[in-house]
Amino acid sequence: MKTSEANFHPITTAFWYWPVAVLIGIAIAYIGAQFSPMLALAAGIGVCGGMILLRYPELGLLITVAIIPIERFGRFTDDNTEFTISLMRIIGIATLGVLVIHKLTRKKQFTIDKTLFLYGAYAFLAILSVTYTTDTLGTVRAASSIIANLMFLFVLINLTTHKKLVFQSLLIWLAVSVAIAVYSTYDWHLGSGQDAALFMSGDDDPGKGVQTTENRWSTIWVDKAELETLGGLSLRRTMGSTSHSAVYGINLIMTLPFFLFLLRYSKNRLTSMILWGSLAVICYNILLTNTRATILLAMGVAGLCVFKGLHRVTLGQVGLGLVGCIALILVLPEDIFNRILDISNYSFENSASLQIRLEYIYAGTNAFLDNWLFGLGVSNENIIPDYINSWSNAPEKTTAHNIYLQTLMELGILGFACLFGFAALLLRYSIVAARNFRAHPDMQQEYWFMVSTQITMIAVLIYGLQVDVFHFPLKGWWMLAGFTILMYHYSKRLKTPSTDAFSFNEQTKRELE
């Protein structure tokens, strides 16, 4: 008998489940009588779903992964509220609860990796900063997101027990990302992208990274941030299912290495055509973000994929690529030419964005020097405006647009050491795991998976030079972080008898053999 079966007693478990089920049934009936039958129906469905997840906890992981690219589409509150409620958080909390019950009833140990301690220390400093920040609302929102990231990472490394789950999760994440990209393409050409009233101002301006539930399904917005340098042009940009084009851009870029990874193992022409078509849609959406840094980084990631050997370029692909680029130039929207394909916009004189960001660096550096130990509060958007003197059009609230400088301002050198110590350790995990897998001829698929993960991690770290990337709802990156931890520990055991399971202790190993 398996150890898990020996520790699981159906009668004892039922003894605890039945009273809980009765109480839940009474609560649902009360909700239906006092509030709304539809609310009671939703509660009933939620309870049934919870019972299914208790029986199949790994299903909770796959559902959570499927919701990752949805982001703003799944939010039930405006982005500028103190506490946001979203489908991702609801499913994530439910999955965490299922994980705890599943582990306790089967007397299994929880997996705790050293990376959790580093990010946990960062989370503690973030929560502590609520007591002294000058931007209470922004700090509270950021601290709650940081706690959610920590919980998500904990769920990932405790629920992912087999390599099969890693690759299943990867496929689901990519498939939903492509679906979002297809919808965003439609919305640009045939949907809200044709609406002249897209420009919003005040607290609901998408340029500030916020959005309302009323406009949840709109993926296009009009950017007027560089009126002076772009001659007053109003340029459309897609933000997909996120709250800003920069967020959507990095979400798309993170998928690029993994499409090339899957193409390495494509077994037939139809599968290859689907993958290439999906990759084309992703790349087109990268253009539609109309974000210069996103375009440049995507090109860099493509080059890094070739340099690392993840993809081998053939003459045929070069020829098709040139034909595709020429055809694309003929049909690209004028907005793209006016902002990202006009080479003159990459000069300092013609980019108001570059000009003000230089001011942000000066202001952020001075703010850090004045508060170098503990900073002024996580995600404090009042710091930069308080230190800018020479830029009359600076926003009332803004960040340094550089995650390294932003972290130093927010939490000082202590917070910086915790966050980037965590990121550096993850990158080291991916490098060590890749090296271990490469030494085994039958582990080449795992090796190329880790190479893809390395490229993604490096891309995010580079992207952070011009945005506060780790304050984004970057759940795709957190998913890969969890899988990196699992693959690292799995690779370390390759010298021992092989197993397909991610066992972290002898008891779990016996259960899975």
Side-chain angles (χ1 to χ4, degrees), residues 20 107 140 148 160 164 185 236 249 275 277 300 319 357 369 375 381 399 415 425 470 501:
V20 173
K107 297 182 180 178
V140 168
T160 311
K164 183 179 178 181
T185 302
R236 289 181 299 166
L275 290 172
R357 289 188 187 198
L369 293 175
E381 296 186 358
T399 65
L425 183 57
F470 285 122

Side-chain angles (χ1 to χ4, degrees), residues 344-417:
S344 64
N345 289 336
Y346 290 80
S347 66
F348 184 78
E349 293 77 13
N350 288 345
S351 175
S353 177
L354 291 177
Q355 293 172 23
I356 195 170
R357 289 188 187 198
L358 182 60
E359 297 288 335
Y360 288 168
I361 292 175
Y362 291 146
T365 301
N366 290 330
F368 162 63
L369 293 175
D370 289 343
N371 307 273
W372 60 273
L373 186 57
F374 294 108
L376 289 168
V378 67
S379 197
N380 187 336
E381 296 186 358
N382 293 331
I383 305 173
I384 292 294
D386 286 345
Y387 278 82
I388 285 185
N389 297 317
S390 59
W391 190 273
S392 59
N393 295 324
E396 294 181 2
K397 285 182 172 291
T398 188
T399 65
H401 289 71
N402 179 308
I403 191 58
Y404 304 97
L405 182 56
Q406 184 70 26
T407 304
L408 286 170
M409 289 191 315
E410 293 174 350
L411 297 176
I413 57 174
L414 294 178
F416 183 91

Side-chain angles (χ1 to χ4, degrees), residues 16-36:
W16 293 105
Y17 280 2
W18 279 111
V20 173
V22 171
L23 291 174
I24 291 175
I26 294 173
I28 292 174
Y30 178 79
I31 291 172
Q34 297 294 324
F35 299 99
S36 165

Side-chain angles (χ1 to χ4, degrees), residues 438-511:
R438 190 172 190 177
H440 290 258
D442 58 339
M443 291 288 176
Q444 295 309 293
Q445 187 178 52
E446 289 80 0
Y447 165 70
W448 288 114
F449 175 80
M450 294 314 305
V451 169
S452 304
T453 304
Q454 283 177 36
I455 294 172
T456 301
M457 288 186 172
I458 292 171
V460 170
L461 291 173
I462 293 175
Y463 203 66
L465 291 170
Q466 55 88 42
V467 287
D468 43 325
V469 67
F470 285 122
H471 287 335
F472 291 173
L474 213 62
K475 289 297 186 290
W477 186 88
W478 285 96
M479 178 191 74
L480 297 174
F483 293 161
T484 296
I485 295 170
L486 296 164
M487 297 296 271
Y488 166 73
H489 287 284
Y490 177 61
S491 73
K492 287 173 60 180
R493 298 194 309 276
L494 289 178
K495 296 180 180 180
T496 61
S498 179
T499 174
D500 189 51
F502 294 116
S503 53
F504 287 82
N505 53 67
E506 291 302 319
Q507 177 183 340
T508 310
K509 184 176 180 180
R510 288 194 299 269
E511 294 172 9

